[in-house]
Amino acid sequence: MSTALELMRPNWAEIDLDAFDRNVDALRARLPEGARLCLVLKANAYGHGAVRLAQSLTPEKCAMIAVALLEEALELRDAGITLPVLVLGAMTPQQVPLAAERGIVIGVPSPEALEAAAAASKDRHVTVHLKLDSGMGRVGLLPADLEAAAKVIRSAPRLKVDAIYTHFANSPDPDDTYTQRQVARFDEMVAALRALGVDAPMHHLVNSGAYMRGIKPGDLMRIGIALYGAEPVEHRHDRLEPLLRWRTEVVRVKTLPAGAPVGYSLTWRGDRESRIATIAVGYADGYNRGLSSRGTVLVHGMRAPVVGRVSMDLVTIDVTDIPDVEVGDEVVLLGRQEDEEVSAEEIANLLGTISYEVLCAVGARVPRLYRTGGDPEVDSRFD
Ligand SMILES: *Cc1c(COP(=O)(O)O)cnc(C)c1O
């Protein structure tokens, strides 16, 4: 173990890079003939660390990385990542030329972005993926935008439309019929563009929910949540291996008499003499305050309830039924310990949200440790 690790507050998220490789291989094995992976590493790879994950990818495994922001794309480029990077989100008009200059693929979400990309292509070749709104109602070109868009594209010879894509609004729901309507709408819009003289070598449609339902991806399969071993909707799908295990330690343990309050606002009192352990995590680390007296953590491979309010930097848990808990014992907040697991889906259900938000919420204050079978590496940002 590095000195840095010994000197750290004992709270970090372990990321299993071997499981990451296995998940990528499992996703590749599911690809139809000719399709390739576009791995979605936005929001710091859903909390897992985009740079480190990208470093373990090769062009053979992953055709393209997708992120939401230009800033996220630049972070990858600055770290020496040379794989093609697509920015899915809306950029400002000032960002578009910078993206073009840095060889970043622009996922054109609007007529304005198309104009900006065409303008930037006066000085250099600019590669775009054209986003069509087939029914999500958020970003993308609508049928009414296509004629003008085709005109812009036809008059910009150095603007290269490498792909046309769309995004599904309701794909994780197995009873859903809307996704098929979006596919049909997308096909119609692609045909309309073709009639206007615009086509692309690639088309892509599928996200994790659609992949799990076996919907045909086109040329690229855009996968986010499934890659991290979580589900878009709990218990509906086969999960791949979770990559992230967030653990901390007991920093104080004591016996309190029946009726003694625990934590801010005196919201919890034991109805018996209780062993209360305080653990090194709080809402400032992304441990949601909504888990006050609701969450569960793992100690000695057993489930222990969170009792009282989650504080900024500390959480209290009831370990009365878990023998011999001591200061320094490991506490797992998210992930496995021995035979027990607290999944992102379990926490999401308690909070009325989705696994995505639970993973993205693991805070920047929590160092990421990458395991590859040997020694863990601490993310260099935390050295
Ligand atoms: C985030 C995102 C994805 C990945 O979605 P998952 O459900 O995590 O697989 C795919 N496409 C677009 C456009 C996205 O914004």
Side-chain angles (χ1 to χ4, degrees):
M1 273 193 186
S2 66
T3 315
L5 192 54
E6 278 158 20
L7 292 178
M8 264 163 33
R9 175 178 70 140
N11 177 330
W12 58 79
E14 297 168 355
I15 317 291
D16 185 341
L17 291 176
D18 297 332
F20 176 68
D21 280 346
R22 289 191 292 272
N23 286 357
V24 173
D25 288 345
L27 290 165
R28 289 175 68 208
R30 289 277 302 263
L31 285 172
E33 184 75 31
R36 306 186 67 200
L37 279 182
C38 172
L39 295 178
V40 181
L41 304 186
K42 64 192 177 192
N44 203 25
Y46 296 37
H48 294 67
V51 166
R52 188 63 191 85
L53 295 192
Q55 282 167 345
S56 61
L57 294 171
T58 60
E60 190 200 27
K61 291 188 172 206
C62 170
M64 180 167 243
I65 293 171
V67 292
L69 315 183
L70 176 62
E71 287 83 342
E72 294 170 340
L74 294 177
E75 188 192 7
L76 293 172
R77 281 284 177 270
D78 291 345
I81 302 299
T82 55
L83 282 168
V85 177
L86 167 67
V87 173
L88 299 166
M91 291 187 220
T92 67
Q94 292 80 2
Q95 285 184 315
V96 170
L98 176 58
E101 198 179 300
R102 298 291 301 267
I104 288 158
V105 181
I106 301 161
V108 169
S110 65
E112 293 79 7
L114 184 61
E115 293 279 1
S121 77
K122 293 203 168 69
D123 304 323
R124 62 180 70 78
H125 287 276
V126 176
T127 304
V128 301
H129 287 199
L130 211 54
K131 169 83 172 271
L132 303 184
D133 183 353
S134 60
M136 176 82 157
R138 203 175 55 171
V139 288
L141 302 178
L142 288 163
D145 299 320
L146 296 183
E147 198 172 333
K151 206 166 162 191
V152 171
I153 293 164
R154 287 194 314 257
S155 58
R158 290 203 282 180
L159 182 74
K160 189 168 167 239
V161 182
D162 231 7
I164 304 176
Y165 75 109
T166 196
H167 193 42
F168 294 138
N170 202 35
S171 62
D173 181 351
D175 305 322
D176 146 85
T177 54
Y178 193 69
T179 303
Q180 291 306 342
R181 285 178 48 198
Q182 282 196 262
V183 173
R185 193 114 188 264
F186 178 70
D187 289 344
E188 281 164 31
M189 290 176 78
V190 168
L193 275 171
R194 200 173 289 137
L196 292 163
V198 173
D199 205 350
M202 296 189 289
H203 299 84
H204 50 101
L205 305 94
V206 155
N207 54 6
S208 295
Y211 146 76
M212 286 169 161
R213 282 173 54 197
I215 291 167
K216 282 213 214 78
D219 300 292
L220 288 175
M221 188 161 86
R222 300 190 311 271
I223 296 292
I225 198 75
L227 172 68
Y228 308 104
E231 299 170 280
V233 177
E234 198 189 6
H235 297 321
R236 292 279 181 96
H237 315 280
D238 290 335
R239 215 176 54 165
L240 296 174
E241 286 178 73
L243 307 182
L244 186 144
R245 184 174 180 276
W246 184 12
R247 49 84 75 207
T248 180
E249 290 178 10
V250 172
V251 294
R252 171 95 174 94
V253 60
K254 71 267 168 194
T255 301
L256 293 180
V262 173
Y264 281 120
S265 307
L266 321 176
T267 59
W268 188 90
R269 292 168 197 267
D271 52 15
R272 57 178 174 171
E273 185 180 86
S274 301
R275 287 289 280 172
I276 302 297
T278 305
I279 63 177
V281 67
Y283 59 75
D285 299 301
Y287 196 80
N288 197 295
R289 190 166 170 280
L291 296 169
S292 298
S293 292
R294 300 188 71 201
T296 300
V297 300
L298 307 177
V299 188
H300 298 186
M302 285 179 265
R303 299 175 77 86
V306 170
V307 293
R309 285 274 159 84
V310 169
S311 307
M312 187 182 289
D313 313 300
L314 296 168
V315 166
T316 35
I317 61 175
D318 183 355
V319 294
T320 314
D321 298 325
I322 304 177
D324 307 322
V325 173
E326 290 174 21
V327 169
D329 286 356
E330 183 193 72
V331 179
V332 169
L333 308 165
L334 172 57
R336 276 200 163 276
Q337 189 187 55
E338 299 175 28
D339 297 330
E340 277 288 353
E341 182 187 13
V342 175
S343 66
E345 291 78 14
E346 173 182 337
I347 296 175
N349 278 342
L350 287 172
L351 295 171
T353 184
I354 51 176
S355 57
Y356 300 71
E357 190 181 4
V358 172
L359 291 172
C360 289
V362 179
R365 197 168 84 161
V366 178
R368 271 54 169 181
L369 255 83
Y370 294 92
R371 290 190 182 279
T372 51
D375 277 345
E377 318 162 19
V378 183
D379 187 318
S380 57
R381 284 172 303 174
F382 299 102
D383 277 356

